[in-house]
Amino acid sequence: AVVSTQSGHYGRGYGIFSMPIFLDLIQHIDVVTVSTWEPAINSAVQLRFTDGIVLLQANGPYERDQWFHSLLWKFSILNSKKALKMTSCPEIIAKELKSLVNIALKSQLHDPQVWTDCLVLISDQLNHTNSLPPNALEEIIEALGPALGQLNPPTPELCDFFSRYCRDGPCAATAVVVFAPGVHAILKHNVDFGKYTYIRTFARDFIIALASQDACPESLPCFVHTMHSPGARCPHPRVLPNLMAVFLAAIWSAFDTKCSYRRNSSVNLLLGSNRTEITNNKLPKEKVTSCFMKMVELCATHEDWVKEMAPLLQPIPFPDEAMKYPPFVRGMVNVLKRFASDQRPEVRECMFPMREGKESWIQLIAPDHNCCPDNGETFCAIVRILLDRAAVRRKLIRQLAYSCLDAFRLMVIRGDEFFVRMLSEMIESDVIEDKDQKEQALSTLRSNPDGERFYRAMCDRQAALCNLAQLGGPTKLAMPAHSTDADVEKVLSSGPFGNLEKLSLAFTCVTSDCARHLVKLPNLQHLNLWCTQFGDTGLCLLAEHCHRLKSLNLCETLVTDEGLLALTELKTLNSLNLNSTKLSAQVFEELINKLPSLASYDIRYTEACAHHTPFMKGEEHFRV
């Protein structure tokens, strides 16, 4: 270091100063180049005092700039502390805080300590500021908004200050605009909301304030869609889990009487204070329900988020008080309808219990449950949607019988025709395992006039089935070309076919309608449907009932991925011809993984052909 004084004396020293240089004595800091020094080491930082100058010689420009910006930042912090300490004027406080944030934003130092020092000073000032006029508050909020996303995590004081004015401050509208970038940054990162509950509370209050903007009702939809991004998939994997964490915490804070949060602990310890403030943040349940149910419904409009939401909500992670609150249940019903109508089976499965003994959403909306939002209309609508989407109808009916048999019986007693048909189908499909429950279901069905009619028709079908299934008849049968569904029905009803193992309908005019006759063949193992009008509906019916099938030829039929997925139920299938069908690579991969006995297949002229071996030989049963 080189020291010069006003009297003209110079001195040079190396190493550590014998006495510290106090920042409050420095009047000015600058960067200089000393021409009399060697070119390699002529860079220096100049510190100007009242009675002289100190030159700090650096080894190069990079080290000089590090020193300069570090000293400049410390100098700015000191000046801000002095200014804030000497004034109580709200306008000056707002001006100094805004200046401090701007300096931190423009600082050349890439060190988290810069924002740590800045936010600790701001938090300390907010703790000592009792009341400020609205215009000063608005200026402070605008000044501190950029600081929100710069430090992870923000300080409790800063979050509490922001939360307070999002929640009930006079400038909540300004806060919503200013805080949006900071909230985006919080939700896009991996935040430990369990440890930093004050950040979660701030995000909750921000979303409520956003939904409460009467002047701009599109604020919340715009926020949700911006968080997702315009693409089909959200590029930020933490956004939805963070939104769901905020949503669940908000519902519990509004409905749970024991909900309380610990505040201000981390920075109080940092500042040497052992004061702990515990506040109850219970919010009006009407406001919370209206806001967050709207947010969840908006999240459910994005297909990729639905797949993540469904398993998060499957355990019904809500307090009992919320499930008894009609507006909340009505909001959840809209989300459940979205789950039920999804094309992906794993999403629809979330309507049912996670494991035995656990309640499920389909049980909660059933008419025999205390949480049912109406007289069964919602339950009926969701069951209809599930049946329309089900690839394997029998599997779904078995799940419904296990979860909601009493609800079906209740609706039959009330005379609902749809449930009369459904209960009749449950009995006929033999999916009710308990003998007593089956007898009760049968008695309930026969107590209804329409149910008695369905029961008699079922008995007639069972008698015809017994006659058809009697041992005897041929083991092989090939229908002539251009045969129709009526022709197949006429032949199969002419006598017993209990021995029939191989059936060829190739080059006939049959459709999916003939499947209802094929499922009555108890020993059917090989079926050829080459070049027919057979489609997904009939394929799903075959997959439900013909579990002895070993070979199936669907070459040049109308089947698509929706129906082909049902084939995963045929565990004995070892030969499959899907040549010239609408088979995708993804569905074929699913079939390969879930059909352990599959030894030969043909997928030529399909989309899957480009990703897999188009033909694999094995024991062929494609022709009878």
Side-chain angles (χ1 to χ4, degrees), residues 123 126-127 141 144 148 154-169 179 196-205 261-268 275 277-279 281:
S123 299
L126 295 178
N127 270 344
I141 288 174
L144 301 186
L148 184 60
T155 63
E157 282 81 6
L158 193 63
C159 284
D160 281 349
F161 177 75
F162 291 161
S163 288
R164 186 165 64 252
Y165 292 102
C166 279
R167 189 164 53 244
D168 50 16
F179 296 158
Y196 305 110
T197 56
Y198 52 86
I199 301 179
R200 184 179 61 199
T201 302
F202 165 60
R204 175 200 70 185
D205 293 336
Y261 296 92
R262 186 175 296 273
R263 299 284 179 159
N264 301 335
S265 55
S266 57
V267 171
N268 283 334
R275 174 177 61 89
E277 179 184 355
I278 299 177
T279 59
N281 282 290

Side-chain angles (χ1 to χ4, degrees), residues 79-100 125 129 132-133 135-137 139-140 143:
N79 288 339
S80 296
K81 285 182 178 179
K82 287 181 180 178
L84 292 171
K85 188 175 182 180
M86 292 187 301
T87 184
S88 59
C89 176
E91 288 76 12
I92 297 178
I93 291 175
K95 182 179 178 181
E96 286 296 330
L97 293 179
K98 187 174 183 178
S99 174
L100 183 62
Q125 183 62 38
T129 302
L132 294 172
N135 59 339
L137 284 175
E139 290 184 11
I140 291 177

Side-chain angles (χ1 to χ4, degrees), residues 200 267 285 383 401 438:
R200 184 179 61 199
V267 171
K285 58 185 180 182
V383 169
K438 188 172 183 178

Side-chain angles (χ1 to χ4, degrees), residues 347-362:
V347 175
R348 299 195 299 271
E349 282 292 325
C350 293
M351 297 291 297
F352 296 95
M354 296 180 65
R355 58 182 180 272
E356 188 176 354
K358 291 289 185 180
E359 272 196 323
S360 63
W361 286 110
I362 196 70

Side-chain angles (χ1 to χ4, degrees), residues 239-260:
V239 170
L240 182 69
N242 286 339
L243 283 174
M244 289 295 102
V246 174
F247 162 58
L248 293 176
I251 296 301
W252 277 90
S253 69
F255 288 93
D256 188 19
T257 56
K258 299 178 181 179
C259 184
S260 63

Side-chain angles (χ1 to χ4, degrees), residues 318-609:
F318 303 107
D320 294 339
E321 292 79 3
M323 298 307 303
K324 297 174 184 177
Y325 186 56
F328 175 80
V329 177
R330 285 195 296 269
M332 280 306 305
V333 163
N334 295 330
V335 178
L336 296 178
K337 287 181 179 179
R338 176 64 183 85
F339 291 170
S341 62
D342 196 271
Q343 297 289 345
R344 292 161 292 192
E346 60 269 27
V347 175
R348 299 195 299 271
E349 282 292 325
C350 293
M351 297 291 297
F352 296 95
M354 296 180 65
R355 58 182 180 272
E356 188 176 354
K358 291 289 185 180
E359 272 196 323
S360 63
W361 286 110
I362 196 70
Q363 292 170 318
L364 286 177
I365 61 173
D368 61 330
H369 199 281
N370 293 334
C371 298
C372 180
D374 46 40
N375 292 322
E377 292 84 359
T378 299
F379 180 67
C380 179
I382 289 183
V383 169
R384 286 177 181 272
I385 294 172
L386 288 171
L387 287 168
D388 289 340
R389 292 289 186 269
V392 183
R393 186 180 179 92
R394 182 185 175 89
K395 179 181 177 182
L396 175 61
I397 292 174
R398 181 183 288 110
Q399 288 178 310
L400 291 171
Y402 174 78
S403 303
C404 312
L405 182 58
D406 287 343
F408 275 70
R409 291 176 56 215
L410 178 61
M411 295 304 292
V412 170
I413 293 171
R414 292 178 178 176
D416 191 289
E417 185 179 352
F418 170 73
F419 285 98
V420 170
R421 292 198 304 271
M422 285 301 303
L423 189 60
S424 174
E425 187 173 352
M426 283 182 181
I427 295 171
E428 187 172 8
S429 302
D430 198 24
V431 296
I432 305 174
E433 298 178 356
D434 186 87
K435 182 179 179 180
D436 292 336
Q437 287 186 338
K438 188 172 183 178
E439 291 179 354
Q440 292 175 22
L442 189 57
S443 300
T444 304
L445 180 66
R446 300 192 66 180
S447 67
N448 182 281
D450 290 331
E452 178 67 20
R453 179 168 51 85
F454 278 110
Y455 172 73
R456 294 186 179 280
M458 180 176 61
C459 291
D460 294 340
R461 287 193 298 271
Q462 292 290 342
L465 180 60
C466 291
N467 180 55
L468 180 65
Q470 286 178 3
L471 293 178
T475 59
K476 298 180 181 180
L477 175 65
M479 293 294 294
H482 306 297
S483 298
T484 64
D485 293 333
D487 297 329
V488 173
E489 180 182 7
K490 186 174 182 180
V491 170
L492 293 181
S493 61
S494 63
F497 284 93
N499 292 339
L500 188 64
E501 296 180 357
K502 298 181 180 181
L503 175 63
S504 175
L505 301 175
F507 303 103
T508 63
C509 300
V510 298
T511 66
S512 294
D513 191 51
C514 76
R516 60 192 179 91
H517 306 295
L518 302 182
V519 297
K520 299 174 183 178
L521 301 172
N523 288 318
L524 185 63
Q525 299 178 29
H526 310 291
L527 178 61
N528 187 352
L529 293 165
W530 187 4
C531 198
T532 62
Q533 300 298 307
F534 203 79
D536 291 337
T537 306
L539 192 57
C540 292
L541 195 59
L542 289 178
E544 289 181 32
H545 298 278
C546 298
H547 295 291
R548 301 186 66 182
L549 271 180
K550 294 182 179 180
S551 70
L552 181 61
N553 190 344
L554 295 170
C555 177
E556 297 184 40
T557 57
L558 304 180
V559 294
T560 65
D561 284 348
E562 185 177 352
L564 291 171
L565 275 173
L567 294 180
T568 56
E569 300 294 317
L570 302 178
K571 302 302 181 183
T572 59
L573 196 65
N574 58 35
S575 184
L576 181 62
N577 190 341
L578 300 176
N579 189 318
S580 304
T581 60
K582 297 180 180 179
L583 172 70
S584 68
Q586 182 180 359
V587 170
F588 183 65
E589 188 71 32
E590 188 86 2
L591 293 175
I592 290 293
N593 293 333
K594 294 189 176 181
L595 294 176
S597 302
L598 191 63
S600 64
Y601 60 79
D602 185 352
I603 57 169
R604 288 174 291 182
Y605 308 108
T606 66
E607 179 191 324
C609 179

